[in-house]
Structure formats: C-alpha cells, structure tokens
Amino acid sequence: MGSHHHRHCSHCHTCREQGHSHMFGPISHMIPGHWQSWISAQIQTPEETERVAKGVLGFEELKKYMRQGNEFCKEVALLIHERADLETKYHKGLGIIAAKLSKVAQTSIGTLGEGWKAVAASIDTEADLHRNLATAMLEEIAKPLKHLVAGQKEARRPIEEHVEKSLKSLTEKRNDEIKAKKSAYDTAKSHEKVEEPKNIKTDKDANKTEKKQKQVLDRLRKADKAYCECCEKAEVARQEWEFTVNKANVQLQTLDEERISKMNDFLNLYNSHLSVLGPRLSQCCDTLLKSVQQVDVSGDISLVAKTKGSQTATPEQMLIDCYAEDSQFTMKKERRKMALQHYLLHIRQSIEREQKGREGVEKLVGVYKERPNFADQDAQEDTRQRLTQVIFMMNFLEANHYKIATSLASIDGGHKPAFKFSKYIEQARDKQGMLVSLLKLPPNLASAGDSGYDATSVTLSSLATVGMDDNIDDDEFDDPPSPTGMLGRCRAIFDYQAVEHGDLAIHTGDIINITEKLGNGWWQGECNGRSGVFPESYVQEL
C-alpha cells in the first residue's frame, strides 16, 4: 500500500514530513483506525462470488446488464476525461460534470453506483482543484477505463457469437426434425392406404399390389429411421446450445466481475488523488469516504442476482413420437406392432452405443481425477461436459424406449415396463393434432441420469410378449461390417496429438479402423492412410 501511495503522492509536503504511507494522504489522521482497516478489506477482490445468472433467460439478462455496465464505464471514462480538461479552467465546468456523472450513475445497480453519485456531489465543492490533478486523472483513470471498455467489448463478441451459432444450429436441426416427422407420417398414411387394396380382380392385380406394398413399406422404414436420427441430432443440438449458454454465462460473468472490480479500484484511486490535496478538501473527502466505505462488490453481485438473474430452467427434451404410437390413427394391429418393434430395436441399439461412449468418458474422467496434470483445465472441463451430454442423451433414449415399449405392451394388454422417470414425461398435441411428448427432468435428476432402466431386458420382454415376426431382423439398423482384417472401428471423441514416433494423431470425429488392442489403455489402428497407436479413452468404439 505504501508504494501505491508514493506513486501518486510525490508532491505531498505533509506526507514527506510525517512519513505517511497510507493511500488517504494528509487526511489520514482524521480517519479512525478501524475505518482504515475496513476500507482496506473492501478493496480486496473476493476469491469466490455468488453466481449471477443461470440458464437461457439468465444469459439474456446478463448480456443486457453487461451492455449497460459497459455504457456506464464508457460514460464515466468520458466524464473523467472532461474533468481533466476542465481542471485548467478551474470551477466553471465542474457543475456540468457533476450533473452528468450523477445521471450516469443512476444506470448502475448497488453500492458502486452510489459511490459514483457521491463523486458527482464532491465535484461541486472542488472549485479550487490543482492543475496537476488533471494529468493524474487523464492517465490513471480515463484512459484505462477506455481500454477496459474496448477490451471487454472484444472479449464479449466471440462468446455471444458462439451462442448465436449454437442457436442457429439448433434451429436448423429442429426444422430438419419437423420435415422428417412430416415425411414419416405421410409415408405411414400411404402405407395404410396400400395395405387396404381395392378392386383386386386378377392375379396380376394382386402381384402388382403386393409389389407396391413392399415398396411403400421400405419407404416407411427408411422414413421412420430418418425421423429417429433427426430427433437424436436435434437433441444433441439442444444440449450443445444449452451447455454453450451455461458456459457463456460463466465467461460473461467473469468479465463483468472484472469490470466491477476495476471500477471499484478506479473509484478508490479517484479518492486517493483527491485526498492528497490537503486540508482544503478534507470535508469533501470525508463525505466521499462514507460512500466509498459502503461499496460492497459481493453485495452488488448478489443484488444483481436477485434483480437480474434467473433460476435454472428445467430442461425440456422433445421425445420421439411415431405414427404407430398414436392411437388416434387407424392401423391394423399387426402393422402397428411391426412399426413399434422397429422403433424399439433402433432405440435399443442407440442406447447400447451411448452406453459404450459413457463408459469411455467416465474412464477418462477417472484418469483426470487420479492424474490432474494429465490435461489442462479446459480439457478436463470439456470432458466433464461431454459426460453430462452423454447422460442427457441416455435419459432421452431411455425415455423413448420406455414410451415405445409401453405402447407395444398396451396393444395386447401385456405387462408395462417400469421406468424411474416416467412421471416426468408429459404428452400433448400441437396445432396439427400431432402427438408431442416432452421429458422434463429436474436438473439434479437429469445430470445424475441414474434411471436403472435395462433397455435390453425390456426389449426382449416386449418382443416375447407381443410375438416377434420372423421377418424382423434385429440387425436392420446396424452399421456396416468392419473391413476385412480389422477388429472393429471407433470414433474419436477427443483430439490427440502424436507425441512419439509411432503415435497416431487423431481429431474429434475421425473414424479409425482398429487393428490391435494392445492393453494398458492403448490401441493400434489406421486412419486416413496413417497407422499408429492411440489412447483407448480418446475414442468411442462403434
């Protein structure tokens, strides 16, 4: 603190004679000791602060508040600059500056704004301010404030653009989902028409009808599969958008906490410059000091949380609603069973795939816990986010599987499966009369994802109950077989840079042919004409 004072107090005669090392200059003898301790504690930036905003609504409110805060900083910087220019003209412009600063301070919430209102009041009494104060205010407050505003604007732009890009992706995936759903419904309706043929008089007519029925059935299965895939992609995009918003909330809040802290520093610095002017300004400094003492950065952040923040919204996962599941559409019993069975098998395979991915990510999280220095903080945070995404996808798929299995069981009055989260599934109809199902899990249950649902057992039970047709192939939705000589294939879920000769560099999304599983967490494989070893925990086996 002493070095801070002498940097701004080289011309203070009183301090040179009395050896003062505090930041309040010649009026320190007028401030009680317990006040000085309190002020010193207030200017420390807290290591942990209460989070201001949560969720999508919180992001919009926080963004609006940050823009207001940036405008506040910009206006303060301009006004302090004006104050420096007017110092040479003495007291003539001080009244105007006080009025402007008081108006600007109205836009700031909390004790920080009250502090700047006190600054405006003190300006009215500073008619005899020294000319050398102008240089200090210009170089140590006005210019740094302008740099702060510019830096915050540049730092905020990519964060907001990332959220907008994520929202655009979600919108596109939702549009694709709507189109695929309409196509699946239209195809299902066409299939129903051809399954009820009319005017069949000859064998030729019968053969022609049978051929057409087979063609329409093939189109129906493709349309149903495409709809399932679009629903899954839309859910992934929704999760990416939600997680992007939450991450942006943290980043924006960090920036705003920095702004508030620096504004508090500038406020104290302003008071420091005034306090070195001596006894003539002691009364003004005493008045201002009371407002400075009341500045509470943590309290201001808490106030913003109450007035601007939003509570965490319950995530809404839009589930798959197939044509055969809706009882308002007329279908023959056997065809309805067939359609539901295909959905059930496809979703079960998706659950098995995601379960493998979850095991891999959980293994990587365990590695990070045992070896914190294995990756940087961003990589560890991305891994934890990926685990949360996998859990959300498992919730989504298991709810869909339960819903389809329940519909299948109700056809013949069979035993309906149990699902821990069934009470959180809500169903309604949209304006077109189509069934819309939503999974609304509380955040704590959604992030835990411990449903205990056994999709394989439920699938086998459902198919055994309703009677599985011999023409149903369990592998209909399977991926194509691996190339000859390969153990299998996997998809990279993290980037891995080659460290030693013989390593295989991979990037997120790469498809790798597995040639050998070496043990100790390492596999050997080939990707894009290159071969080498890579860590098992960085990939998801297909």
Side-chain angles (χ1 to χ4, degrees):
M1 189 71 73
S3 60
H4 175 82
H5 170 264
H6 289 293
R7 187 169 65 250
H8 306 290
C9 195
S10 59
H11 301 290
C12 178
H13 175 73
T14 304
C15 287
R16 287 199 302 270
E17 288 185 352
Q18 299 182 9
H20 291 166
S21 60
H22 49 79
M23 68 178 291
F24 298 103
I27 65 168
S28 63
H29 62 282
M30 304 176 65
I31 303 175
H34 65 280
W35 282 20
Q36 297 182 34
S37 299
W38 191 93
I39 295 168
S40 298
Q42 289 302 305
I43 65 173
Q44 300 298 320
T45 302
E47 294 180 359
E48 295 184 358
T49 57
E50 180 182 353
R51 291 304 173 193
V52 174
K54 299 177 182 178
V56 178
L57 297 178
F59 170 77
E60 294 297 330
E61 290 293 337
L62 179 58
K63 186 168 65 172
K64 184 189 301 181
Y65 173 72
M66 285 192 66
R67 289 176 178 171
Q68 292 177 350
N70 246 25
E71 287 298 317
F72 170 59
C73 293
K74 187 188 300 182
E75 291 294 330
V76 170
L78 292 174
L79 294 174
I80 296 300
H81 198 160
E82 284 186 42
R83 168 70 188 276
D85 292 339
L86 288 172
E87 287 300 329
T88 57
K89 299 178 181 179
Y90 212 26
H91 66 277
K92 292 182 180 180
L94 295 182
I96 298 175
I97 298 302
K100 288 184 178 181
L101 189 55
S102 178
K103 182 179 180 180
V104 170
Q106 297 291 339
T107 64
S108 181
I109 298 176
T111 58
L112 188 62
E114 294 299 320
W116 283 101
K117 291 177 184 177
V119 172
S122 71
I123 293 176
D124 284 333
T125 66
E126 296 172 4
D128 59 347
L129 196 63
H130 299 278
R131 290 179 181 271
N132 58 1
L133 186 60
T135 301
M137 286 191 171
L138 180 63
E139 297 298 328
E140 298 179 25
I141 298 181
K143 288 184 178 180
L145 260 176
K146 291 179 181 179
H147 294 155
L148 174 63
V149 171
Q152 291 248 323
K153 183 177 180 181
E154 288 299 316
R156 196 173 66 247
R157 183 185 296 115
I159 298 174
E160 295 177 356
E161 288 177 352
H162 193 196
V163 173
E164 292 174 359
K165 182 179 179 181
S166 178
L167 178 59
K168 181 179 179 182
S169 175
L170 173 59
T171 303
E172 292 173 353
K173 292 299 185 294
R174 285 299 186 206
N175 290 335
D176 292 342
E177 179 185 359
I178 293 172
K179 292 178 182 178
K181 185 175 184 178
K182 185 178 185 303
S183 175
Y185 275 54
D186 292 341
T187 307
K189 291 177 181 178
S190 299
H191 182 248
E192 290 303 304
K193 290 181 180 179
V194 301
E195 288 295 330
E196 301 292 340
K198 298 179 180 179
N199 300 324
I200 297 178
K201 299 178 179 180
T202 65
D203 291 341
K204 183 178 180 181
D205 291 338
N207 292 334
K208 185 176 180 181
T209 300
E210 182 179 355
K211 182 178 180 181
K212 185 174 182 181
Q213 289 173 343
K214 183 177 181 181
Q215 292 174 347
V216 174
L217 179 59
D218 290 340
R219 290 202 305 270
L220 175 60
R221 292 179 178 178
K222 291 179 181 179
D224 288 346
K225 180 180 179 181
Y227 174 42
C228 283
E229 293 173 346
C230 286
C231 289
E232 293 178 19
K233 291 178 181 178
E235 172 59 17
V236 170
R238 186 200 67 78
Q239 293 177 20
E240 289 290 344
W241 173 61
E242 186 171 86
F243 285 118
T244 299
V245 168
N246 290 335
K247 186 175 182 179
N249 282 341
V250 176
Q251 293 171 327
L252 290 181
Q253 180 173 300
T254 301
L255 286 175
D256 207 41
E257 288 174 355
E258 178 186 358
R259 177 189 67 83
I260 293 175
S261 179
K262 287 186 179 296
M263 285 296 291
N264 186 42
D265 292 340
F266 291 136
L267 180 60
N268 282 279
L269 187 58
Y270 180 92
N271 182 62
S272 176
H273 286 310
L274 284 184
S275 62
V276 301
L277 296 180
R280 293 197 310 161
L281 295 177
S282 60
Q283 185 178 358
C284 175
C285 289
D286 287 340
T287 303
L288 181 60
L289 180 59
K290 294 178 181 179
S291 297
V292 174
Q293 290 174 336
Q294 295 173 359
V295 173
D296 181 8
V297 175
S298 298
D300 284 358
I301 294 175
S302 299
L303 178 61
V304 173
K306 294 179 181 178
T307 58
K308 298 291 185 179
S310 300
Q311 296 182 350
T312 302
T314 300
E316 295 184 358
Q317 296 179 279
M318 187 174 293
L319 303 180
I320 299 171
D321 295 298
C322 64
Y323 183 89
E325 189 181 2
D326 195 340
S327 59
Q328 78 169 4
F329 297 116
T330 304
M331 285 182 75
K332 278 194 172 182
K333 184 177 180 180
E334 292 304 318
R335 288 199 300 275
R336 190 182 296 274
K337 289 181 184 179
M338 184 78 68
L340 292 175
Q341 289 166 357
H342 276 84
Y343 272 97
L344 199 67
L345 290 172
H346 177 73
I347 296 172
R348 186 203 68 181
Q349 292 174 354
S350 297
I351 291 174
E352 292 175 349
R353 183 187 66 241
E354 289 297 324
Q355 183 61 41
K356 292 180 181 179
R358 178 174 180 175
E359 292 171 357
V361 178
E362 287 176 339
K363 184 182 296 183
L364 187 58
V365 170
V367 171
Y368 288 155
K369 287 182 178 179
E370 296 175 359
R371 300 168 59 188
N373 297 327
F374 187 77
D376 58 28
Q377 190 63 34
D378 289 341
Q380 296 186 36
E381 182 61 31
D382 289 343
T383 303
R384 287 191 289 269
Q385 177 176 318
R386 172 59 181 163
L387 178 59
T388 304
Q389 290 177 294
V390 171
I391 292 173
F392 270 68
M393 179 55 73
M394 287 293 294
N395 295 339
F396 170 77
L397 292 172
E398 289 174 351
N400 281 303
H401 191 277
Y402 161 78
K403 196 161 62 72
I404 298 295
T406 300
S407 297
L408 197 56
S410 65
I411 293 178
D412 290 327
H415 178 70
K416 296 182 180 180
F419 184 47
K420 182 178 178 180
F421 299 153
S422 60
K423 64 181 179 180
Y424 300 107
I425 298 177
E426 299 180 4
Q427 291 186 319
R429 294 191 179 275
D430 59 16
K431 295 181 180 179
Q432 287 73 36
M434 291 184 179
L435 194 62
V436 178
S437 300
L438 297 175
L439 177 62
K440 296 183 178 181
L441 283 176
N444 60 324
L445 293 180
S447 59
D450 185 18
S451 68
Y453 187 74
D454 187 348
T456 300
S457 176
V458 172
T459 301
L460 294 175
S461 176
S462 298
L463 297 183
T465 301
V466 302
M468 187 66 176
D469 191 82
D470 292 338
N471 294 326
I472 297 294
D473 184 4
D474 188 28
D475 296 328
E476 181 174 342
F477 292 108
D478 282 352
D479 293 331
S482 302
T484 304
M486 301 297 174
L487 297 180
R489 297 186 302 160
C490 59
R491 178 183 290 108
I493 57 177
F494 301 102
D495 292 344
Y496 173 71
Q497 300 298 329
V499 178
E500 299 178 358
H501 179 71
D503 287 359
L504 176 63
I506 58 177
H507 302 282
T508 302
D510 284 351
I511 302 299
I512 307 157
N513 295 322
I514 306 170
T515 58
E516 185 177 1
K517 296 183 178 180
L518 303 175
N520 297 324
W522 292 90
W523 290 355
Q524 184 165 342
E526 181 271 333
C527 179
N528 298 326
R530 296 175 289 106
S531 61
V533 297
F534 55 92
E536 172 192 355
S537 57
Y538 278 59
V539 299
Q540 175 183 332
E541 193 167 4
L542 301 177

